[in-house]
Every structure is written in C-alpha cells, then in structure tokens.
Amino acid sequence: MHRSTASPTLPSGRTLGLGLALVSAIAFGGSGTAAKPLIEAGLSPLHVVWLRVTGAAVALLPVAYRHRHAVLRRPGLLLGFGLLAVAGVQACYFAAISRIPVGVALLIEYLGPPLLIGYVKFVQRKPITRGAAVGAGVAVAGLACVVEVWNGLSFDALGVLFALGAAFCQVGYFVLADAGRRGERPVDPLAVSAFGLLIGAVLLTALTRPWQADWSPLGGSVVMNGHSLPAFLPATWMVLIATVLAYVTGVISVGYLSPPIAGVVANLEAVVATVTAWVLLGEHLGLPQIAGGLLVLTGAFAAQASKPAEAGAVPRADGPEASGPGAAGSGAAELGAADRVAAERGVSGRSSRTSRGD
C-alpha cells in the first residue's frame, strides 16, 4: 500500500499543508498578470505558454531524472497529465486572457470543480450531495453574471470558450492527479508534475514551432498599467514563480491535506489573479463581474466541501469504489468522510487514493 508523505492528522502537517497550498494559489494567480504584457508586446499566447511550460520543465529536469522510473510505471498517466493538466489548461487559459480580462478568464476556469461534480455524478454514477449540486448551480449563476449574459455576452465569446476549455482540462488535472497516487503502481506527485511539464513542453513544441517565432520582444520592454519594465522580468516571474514554485508547492501540499481542502484553497488563485490584474494591469471589473466572481468561488467552495451523500459510502472508502479517478478535488461524497474516519483511527485516510492547482 502506498503511504502518503505526511499524515494530515498532525496539526503541524495540516498547518504546513495549508501554507503550501496558499503559496501555490498565490503563485498560480500571478501567471496571467505576468503573461499578458508579453502577449501585448507581440508574442502569441501559445508561444508564451510554451515559454512558461518549457522553462519550468527545464528547471525541473533534475526531479524528472530522479524519478525517471515513473515513465515505465505509469506512462499513460504521465502522458494524459501533460496533455490536459499542463498543455491543455495553460494553452486554453493563455488564449483566453489574450481576449478577455485575466480575472474573468480565471473565474470561468474555476468552473472546473463543479464540472468535476458532474463527472462524478453522470460518468462515474456516484452519489453527490445536495450541497454539491447547489454549489455547482451557484457557480454557473456566477458565470452568467461575470459574462453579463443579459447583454448578449459583452465579453469576447471566443475568449469565454477558451476559458471554458481550461475548465474542462482542469477536470482532467484533478482526475489524473488523484489516479497517480493510487493503485499498485503509485507515482510520486513531484514526478507527475515534472514529467507532466516535460511532456507538455514537447507537445507544445510540436504545436507552436517556437523556432519560427519572433522572440525579440523578450529583449525589449513591456508596459504594465502605464509603466515600462524589461520584458525578461515578467517572463522570469512567470516561469520560476507562477509555474515551478506553484506546481511544486501545490503537489506537496496535497501530501498534508485532503484533496477537497487543497482544492478549496486553490480557488484563492482566482481572487489573487483578479486583484493583481486590477493593480498591475488596470483591469477594472464592474459590480456584476465582482458579484459573479464571488458566486463562482462560493459555488466551487460548496461543491468541494460537501459531506457524504449517504452514510453507507464511508465503510467503502478503502475499497475500489472509493478509488475512482473522480474522487479527488471534486467534493464527491466519499472523500471527506473517509479522511475523517481514518483520522479518528490515527492513520492517514489518503494512503490509497490521495490526489491540484491552476
């Protein structure tokens, strides 16, 4: 049986996990703000995401080499994670922020948790709670406010579709992150992140053909909210802070927290992105967008923090049914209760099916 890196029953471990998850959310939240000036300077969204993912993959090459046997253990998992959780999420998100405000793009992306509730309900056919369903509905209502549907989608429709694509890819992130830590051949979450970024970089290289791009804007200056600064500064921040630090702290945090808790903390990324875009990019949102954003976050929180749908699901927490790939990060019924029951027994409730962010 795979053992988790730390027991969430220890107060110090829980505190550390929450701190790491918060750092990850803050780091992820600054990615769009750092990337948008590069896009406005002339780099395409896909080339910016290639720069971000490839730079992070190079930085994490030592980690990938240390865990090189993971390629033989779970090749399909690593390929899927690189395709969806890295290349898919990043490409769709960066394409979205080239057309709509950063905060709006990220708020739409965070429909991922409610979408994951739908995956659990209709694909895995597992019970969900009323709170989870209500949370998903609240998030959808918030999205309607964010895009101002009463005005006929005042935001760029294609940008909204790209953001929704990022939300669907985020579902794959949670499903695959959870699957990697379960079964007879578990993979270290750091290895999943390192190889996911490496595979994502290879896929994006084939897609974007970076050797044909004009990278001269990186040697010049960019403008952030009326102020000029060297382009390499936001580029470096995007690679080292918003990607390397964000992924590393995020995957480590789930070793101390249950996936639903880690997912709830990750929702702060949307708040951080909105605030930083407001301060650094001057992207002022109106009252409907702010209210809608709060609804999206509230709905996502409710969906992930829901309690079991039925008491009978708790004893099966260590069985195959509780190990389904949609169990993590979704707020599905079995997870929260299983962790609480295991905690009462003085062991980690995530030994066989532990799972982040954004």
Side-chain angles (χ1 to χ4, degrees), residues 54-100:
T54 303
V58 171
L60 290 178
L61 274 178
V63 176
Y65 179 78
R66 180 180 180 183
H67 297 279
R68 56 192 179 277
H69 298 297
V71 176
L72 299 178
R73 293 170 65 88
R74 304 287 290 275
L77 172 79
L78 298 179
L79 180 62
F81 193 86
L83 177 63
L84 294 177
V86 177
V89 169
Q90 303 301 333
C92 288
Y93 173 61
F94 276 51
I97 66 172
S98 70
R99 309 182 70 95
I100 60 178

Side-chain angles (χ1 to χ4, degrees), residues 257-313:
L257 302 173
S258 67
I261 294 177
V264 168
V265 178
N267 283 322
L268 293 174
E269 177 186 342
V271 178
V272 173
T274 302
V275 172
T276 55
W278 192 316
V279 174
L280 298 179
L281 300 180
E283 292 185 347
H284 298 280
L285 301 181
L287 183 60
Q289 288 80 49
I290 295 175
L294 292 175
L295 285 175
V296 171
L297 294 178
T298 300
F301 180 91
Q304 295 183 81
S306 57
K307 293 182 180 180
E310 55 183 15

Side-chain angles (χ1 to χ4, degrees), residues 21-33 52 89-90 93-94 97 102-107 109-110 166 170 173-174 242 246-247 262-277 297 356-358:
L22 180 60
V23 170
S24 178
I26 293 174
F28 270 123
S31 62
T33 301
R52 177 187 184 183
V89 169
Q90 303 301 333
Y93 173 61
F94 276 51
I97 66 172
V102 169
V104 174
L106 199 51
L107 289 169
E109 180 187 340
Y110 267 89
Q170 192 188 67
Y173 169 88
F174 283 114
Y247 270 96
V264 168
V265 178
N267 283 322
L268 293 174
E269 177 186 342
V271 178
V272 173
T274 302
V275 172
T276 55
L297 294 178
R356 155 97 73 158
D358 344 106

Side-chain angles (χ1 to χ4, degrees), residues 203-271:
L203 293 173
L204 288 170
T205 297
L207 175 65
T208 63
R209 300 179 181 181
W211 54 87
Q212 296 180 351
D214 178 14
W215 296 101
S216 61
L218 289 178
S221 299
V222 295
V223 177
M224 296 185 70
N225 200 16
H227 300 283
S228 179
L229 70 159
F232 74 87
L233 289 180
T236 302
W237 179 278
M238 180 181 63
V239 170
L240 297 182
I241 304 299
T243 309
V244 174
L245 178 64
Y247 270 96
V248 169
T249 54
V251 296
I252 293 177
S253 71
V254 298
Y256 297 92
L257 302 173
S258 67
I261 294 177
V264 168
V265 178
N267 283 322
L268 293 174
E269 177 186 342
V271 178

